[in-house]
Amino acid sequence: MKTLILIAVAGLGAQLVDGSLGMAYGVTSTTLLLALGTNPAAASATIHLAEIGTTLASGLSHWKFGNVDWKVVAKIGVPGAIGAFAGATFLSNLSTEVAAPVMSLILVSLGAYILVRFTLRGIDRRNLGKPVRKRFLSPLGLVAGFVDATGGGGWGPVGTPALLASGRMEPRKVIGSIDTSEFLVALAASLGFLFALGSQGINMVWVVGLLAGGLIAAPIAAWLVRHIPPRMLGSLVGGLIVITNTRTLLRSDWLDAPDATRYAVYAVLYAVWAAAVVHSYRQFRKDRALESADAVAEVAERNVVADVDDVRVTNAQPISAGRPSDPRD
């Protein structure tokens, strides 16, 4: 019962993060299931079965709040589904001994990317409003879908930063569109796992637990996406994923690192993580202050222009003349 409650809470937290950041439901939940000793393919299958419900609820919530670009959903979701089905079939044919460290390595890479991307880089707004081309979205969806199925997560970590980096969409629409299109990816990955594995190793009670937590969090996350700074959340989630999966790698048969080495690596990672979070917070405060200053300057400029226009209107008014004097006077 304690395990089920833990899984439900993890599903709730993962969906809050995913719905507000556009990523990390899969990698966060998969990390937990691997820590509980679940087979990697079964872990990914469990996550994707739960995601069928959570992504549907998340997509509907984002649509309600106006966070979805349906053209982007169609262009990236269909290739993503194809990649996810292929990735599920590939992972199902790997042995557990090989799959566990491979998945952890993928998750470490994704976590590091999230950490670096959101700690060091802001959001480029120069191309905001320009259409996102299909020749960019289709390959992106194919790769992200494959990574998502093989890593137990990756649709958001690959797709969201790529769309944000393009600077052509508002952040809330990037997150909403990625979350909505993930329904197709989760459905295709689940079918791939079921065809390859059947129901072997899939704990339906855990699926229900993850689904319950995710359904509660989905509408909350869709509302929070307008209020939580992505930079801060990205640093927190990225560091957590890196540290958790580095622990799995160091204990795997690939490395089997001694205790002294593991503790030293943990210390370095925790220090880097803390520095990243502090830096993100400072940059968030700095960006917010600049935005406030720009807003104040814009209002002041508008007031000056309005005053000048008033003066011009006043000066342009004709001066009424009295009755001309009679020359005979």
Side-chain angles (χ1 to χ4, degrees):
M1 186 64 183
K2 291 182 179 179
T3 301
L4 180 60
I5 294 174
L6 176 63
I7 289 174
V9 171
L12 188 148
Q15 184 58 45
L16 277 175
V17 172
D18 186 89
S20 55
L21 184 61
M23 64 179 71
Y25 180 91
V27 290
T28 303
S29 302
T30 302
T31 296
L32 171 64
L33 293 187
L34 289 179
L36 293 174
T38 309
N39 175 286
S44 187
T46 300
I47 297 300
H48 283 93
L49 279 173
E51 279 187 320
I52 293 176
T54 59
T55 54
L56 180 60
S58 181
L60 290 173
S61 299
H62 278 296
W63 169 67
K64 180 179 178 181
F65 285 101
N67 299 334
V68 179
D69 185 327
W70 290 104
K71 292 182 179 179
V72 172
V73 171
K75 291 177 182 178
I76 197 173
V78 174
I82 296 172
F85 188 89
T89 305
F90 173 77
L91 181 62
S92 299
N93 293 319
L94 287 180
S95 66
T96 302
E97 291 76 14
V98 174
V102 166
M103 182 177 283
S104 293
L105 186 60
I106 293 174
L107 292 171
V108 167
S109 301
L110 292 174
Y113 183 76
I114 294 171
L115 180 65
V116 172
R117 172 66 180 81
F118 284 91
T119 300
L120 300 183
R121 297 182 59 186
I123 298 173
D124 188 356
R125 299 177 182 271
R126 290 174 296 178
N127 296 317
L128 192 63
K130 294 182 180 179
V132 186
R133 297 177 180 177
K134 185 177 180 180
R135 65 185 182 186
F136 168 72
L137 291 173
S138 295
L140 175 63
L142 193 66
V143 172
F146 185 86
V147 172
D148 186 83
T150 54
W155 179 251
V158 175
T160 299
L163 284 179
L164 285 175
S166 72
R168 293 172 180 255
M169 296 175 64
E170 295 178 61
R172 66 183 182 89
K173 289 204 170 184
V174 169
I175 293 169
S177 300
I178 287 293
D179 273 6
T180 303
S181 59
E182 193 172 8
F183 170 76
L184 299 175
V185 174
L187 182 61
S190 297
L191 290 175
F193 283 120
L194 289 174
F195 285 146
L197 297 175
S199 59
Q200 177 184 356
I202 300 176
N203 191 324
M204 294 306 298
V205 176
W206 290 6
V207 172
V208 172
L210 288 169
L211 179 58
L215 290 177
I216 294 172
I220 301 173
W223 178 79
L224 285 175
V225 72
R226 299 181 180 223
H227 303 283
I228 295 181
R231 194 164 194 160
M232 279 287 298
L233 201 53
S235 296
L236 288 168
V237 173
L240 178 63
I241 293 169
V242 168
I243 291 173
T244 305
N245 288 282
T246 297
R247 178 176 176 273
T248 302
L249 275 176
L250 292 176
R251 293 187 172 190
S252 69
D253 294 337
W254 283 12
L255 299 178
D256 193 20
D259 290 345
T261 301
R262 286 191 287 112
Y263 294 146
V265 171
Y266 297 155
V268 172
L269 290 178
Y270 276 116
V272 171
W273 187 22
V277 172
V278 170
H279 177 76
S280 294
Y281 178 71
R282 289 177 175 174
Q283 287 298 119
F284 164 66
R285 293 285 300 272
K286 181 179 178 181
D287 293 342
R288 188 171 63 175
L290 287 175
E291 289 176 0
S292 298
D294 290 342
V296 171
E298 184 178 353
V299 171
E301 184 178 354
R302 288 178 180 175
N303 291 336
V304 170
V305 171
D307 291 341
V308 171
D309 289 341
D310 290 342
V311 171
R312 288 175 179 174
V313 170
T314 301
N315 291 337
Q317 290 179 353
I319 301 175
S320 59
R323 187 174 66 86
S325 57
D326 191 333
R328 293 175 296 181
D329 293 344

